Amino acid sequence: MSTVSLINQTEFGILLTDINEVDHVTWVMKRLLDTFEKPFQIKGNEIYTSAYFGVSIFPHDGQTVEALYSSASNACSHAQKLNGKDRYFFSSKGLNEMAVNQLKIESSLHEAIQNDELQLHYQPKIEAATGRISGFEALLRWQSAGLGFVPPDKFIPVAEQSGQIDAIGDWVLYAACQQLRTWLDMGLEVEPVAINISGVQLRQQNLASRIQNILDEFNLDPNLLEIELTESSLVDIHDNSFDILKHIREMGLRVSMDDFGTGYSSLSYLKNIPLSGLKIDRSFISDINKDETADKLIASIISIAHGLGLDVVAEGVEEKYQVDHLTALGCEYLQGYYFSRPVPQSEVEDILQKQPMALTG
Ligand code: C2E
Ligand code: CA
Ligand code: CA
């Protein structure tokens, strides 16, 4: 068998969105490189190829497509020159900034709980038919002594990766239950509070009993606590996690699928996870009246949810026309800046006293 060598070079651009960690980029590249390891079979011939990657990160390595492309291209030439095992190279500025930020977050997070830097804010969910508050979502806030305010989108993924999410999730669970007890003791008409649980936490074997112990400690009815699970965090969910969720449901807590429509294999999760509700991701809500497909998708999601006996919360409701549209489609609950931003605990009491909330915002 003879081998013919052809030098033919082609460049492709790959755009990755929603990247929070450098590791996500390297993971994708390693998978792609693996596919180039074996020869391709084309018309009975084995074709060997090699691939190199240059990575640029927005906005660190450039603000425009041209600038990003140029720094990726330089990084790619560098990778080619290295010609070694690692066939990819980062535009160093972007990598360094991201890696350094991640490290800073990881080390500062160690002190966050001890130094009392975490806080919960609460955003109301509104019952569309009546305008009444039907519950709250607890959202984590971190005012770091060293880094200033760090949004949850930045530190939750780091905490998940570094294993700190268990301690942080436990803090959230405890703080939300403690707050519910305080409101009950104040004589307020308390509504259920939803906490966000990361898929990583679902690997904790004792999660259900931990929740039960805290509910018992504060003498709380389990239907005052709700769990929100993001669909993307369930991608590598273990079989065990389904049992944990089943147990949590049997204890009397509600479980909702968060960010519905943005992850993968949503419909199979609907079949396998014992859910009580769905939250339609805000990206769909912001497309109402702008994108016909989004409108149709929202109507379909609501109808699938109702067919399965699940209720629906629309997230990120910012405008009156979105309220009207969603109410007409039979969406039961609405949440978003139109009604209220997430607020500290002290403001929740004021909000509860203003019940029912006017649907005019
Ligand atoms: P999420 O669960 O989808 O939470 C909703 C996010 O949308 C919140 O951002 C909220 O402030 C924001 N939001 C609410 N209404 C509107 C609106 O009308 N317009 C717009 N543009 N945004 C709106 P936040 O608080 O920054 O949280 C981001 C994400 O961080 C959350 O997304 C959740 O996935 C995660 N997260 C927050 N707290 C926790 C927590 O305690 N544990 C875990 N595991 N994740 C958390
Ligand atoms: Ca949520
Ligand atoms: Ca969400």
Side-chain angles (χ1 to χ4, degrees), residues 137 139 196 228 230 258-259 279 315:
E137 175 174 5
L139 291 155
N196 290 282
E228 290 188 12
T230 45
D258 207 347
D259 302 344
K279 299 188 79 178
E315 302 186 293

Side-chain angles (χ1 to χ4, degrees), residues 77-96:
S77 310
H78 199 86
Q80 228 164 332
K81 271 183 221 143
L82 290 175
N83 212 3
K85 202 163 114 291
D86 283 341
R87 286 162 179 262
Y88 53 87
F89 198 77
F90 283 79
S91 272
S92 56
K93 225 169 110 200
L95 170 68
N96 286 341

